[in-house]
Amino acid sequence: MLSVNELEDRLIDLAFAEDIGDGDHTTLCCIPEEAMGRSKLLIKEDGILAGVEVAKEVFRRFDPDMKVEVLMGDGSTVHTGDVAMVVSGRVRSLLQTERLMLNIMQRMSGIATMTHKYVEKLEGTHTRVLDTRKTTPGMRMLEKQAVKIGGGCNHRIGLFDMILLKDNHVDFAGGIENAIDRCHKYLKEKGLDLKIEIEVRNFDELSRVLSHGGVDRIMLDNFTVEDTKKAVDMIGGKYETESSGGITFDTIRQYAECGVDFVSVGALTHSVKGLDMSFKAC
């Protein structure tokens, strides 16, 4: 399995390959090889900054001689007109790294900003905001990093670091009890120590899980606020609880006040707007 750094390296390599191809002919035709310059990262919208460390790696990988002066780091609250960093070096390098750096930082900062809003919405409760696997292919590690920078929590990174028995797993396995039992058998055979979460769709399924046991967390899928409160009371703190499905910014506080431990929000990553910023010569 590839490490986080190896996945990021592959992403950067692929991004340069698809953007530059056999050469940035616009830059190469009009900028002398020896020309030196500076560019600033100008913030054009209020939010939470994310992706600074990844941006530094983009610059380093493309041209190790580029100098990066970081003025505002990951997690900083930024406002329109702020300058987050200044980069100096070959003008050709500044121009060829500009778009990839912006694509990453705008995306990550948008996710961090959105996550921060949800976290603020839950202030005063014990409920934590979780992300999901609804991420951009190839960018999952960066997007989940952005969620953490914004104050949220990562649910699971992928299919390898947690067991999540969803409705299709339960149905194909022949029921809740079969799914849980097969899960424990598999983990024992493979020598794995993974947390087990199971999704329930109604009170009948919840009762069956409570009777059978063998899980660490119960996901209440598409429960109303009223039913969530009833379900949390039924569970009585025996297992971690998570609300999921159809929860919006306007309703998330109501679910938190039911006493759930986590609320998962796919919107943190699957449809977020990038934070506006630009890379300008200075």
Side-chain angles (χ1 to χ4, degrees):
M1 189 171 70
L2 297 176
S3 68
V4 173
N5 289 338
E6 288 170 331
L7 287 168
E8 290 183 3
D9 287 346
R10 289 197 177 190
L11 169 63
I12 292 171
D13 289 341
L14 177 60
F16 276 133
E18 69 181 4
D19 194 35
I20 296 177
D22 68 348
D24 173 9
H25 301 302
T26 307
T27 294
L28 296 175
C29 77
C30 64
I31 303 298
E33 184 177 359
E34 66 279 4
M36 305 294 286
R38 300 168 75 242
S39 291
K40 62 183 179 182
L41 182 64
L42 179 64
I43 305 301
K44 302 169 72 174
E45 184 179 3
D46 294 356
I48 303 297
L49 191 66
V52 173
E53 293 304 311
V54 184
K56 287 166 61 178
E57 183 62 14
V58 167
F59 295 130
R60 187 195 69 77
R61 290 282 300 283
F62 189 82
D63 181 352
D65 292 331
M66 298 177 79
K67 305 293 188 229
V68 182
E69 181 185 2
V70 175
L71 304 177
M72 307 183 80
D74 285 331
S76 298
T77 299
V78 294
H79 303 285
T80 302
D82 285 343
V83 174
M85 70 172 71
V86 176
V87 186
S88 57
R90 298 178 181 88
V91 175
R92 286 185 173 184
S93 296
L94 293 172
L95 292 170
Q96 291 179 92
T97 54
E98 174 184 340
R99 178 46 51 197
L100 175 54
M101 178 275 294
L102 285 174
N103 284 348
I104 290 173
M105 290 205 63
Q106 287 182 288
R107 178 77 179 160
M108 290 185 67
S109 296
I111 291 170
T113 299
M114 176 70 79
T115 303
H116 182 69
K117 290 178 181 178
Y118 275 88
V119 170
E120 282 190 319
K121 187 81 170 180
L122 299 186
E123 189 173 349
T125 73
H126 81 275
T127 306
R128 289 175 284 176
V129 179
L130 294 177
D131 54 23
T132 69
R133 287 171 50 241
K134 298 175 183 177
T135 56
T136 308
M139 287 195 67
R140 178 172 297 176
M141 298 304 176
L142 302 187
E143 292 181 349
K144 283 185 170 282
Q145 180 182 332
V147 167
K148 293 182 72 174
I149 290 172
C153 300
N154 294 153
H155 188 260
R156 52 177 180 163
I157 300 300
L159 298 173
F160 55 87
D161 58 336
M162 184 179 181
I163 298 290
L164 176 48
L165 299 169
K166 294 181 70 68
D167 52 358
N168 281 335
H169 297 98
V170 169
D171 291 343
F172 280 125
I176 285 172
E177 295 81 4
N178 282 346
I180 294 174
D181 290 345
R182 290 177 183 178
C183 172
H184 281 280
K185 182 174 183 292
Y186 175 85
L187 293 177
K188 184 176 180 180
E189 289 175 349
K190 299 296 182 181
L192 296 173
D193 181 19
L194 299 176
K195 280 198 168 186
I196 302 171
E197 179 174 8
I198 189 165
E199 175 186 273
V200 297
R201 295 164 282 190
N202 50 57
F203 285 106
D204 175 63
E205 291 186 345
L206 176 57
S207 295
R208 289 169 64 184
V209 171
L210 293 176
S211 295
H212 193 74
V215 300
D216 299 289
R217 184 184 303 173
I218 299 175
M219 177 190 289
L220 307 171
D221 185 50
N222 285 303
F223 277 50
T224 64
V225 172
E226 293 75 16
D227 285 347
T228 299
K229 180 66 171 66
K230 180 180 175 182
V232 170
D233 290 342
M234 286 177 61
I235 295 167
K238 295 177 182 177
Y239 304 100
E240 292 181 337
T241 53
E242 175 184 339
S243 287
S244 180
I247 299 170
T248 67
F249 182 76
D250 292 329
T251 62
I252 190 171
R253 175 97 190 181
Q254 298 172 53
Y255 281 91
E257 289 174 346
C258 292
V260 293
D261 299 303
F262 304 98
V263 177
S264 52
V265 182
L268 297 182
T269 54
H270 71 58
S271 57
V272 72
K273 172 187 171 296
L275 194 72
D276 196 9
M277 58 185 73
S278 61
F279 200 47
K280 295 295 184 183
C282 61

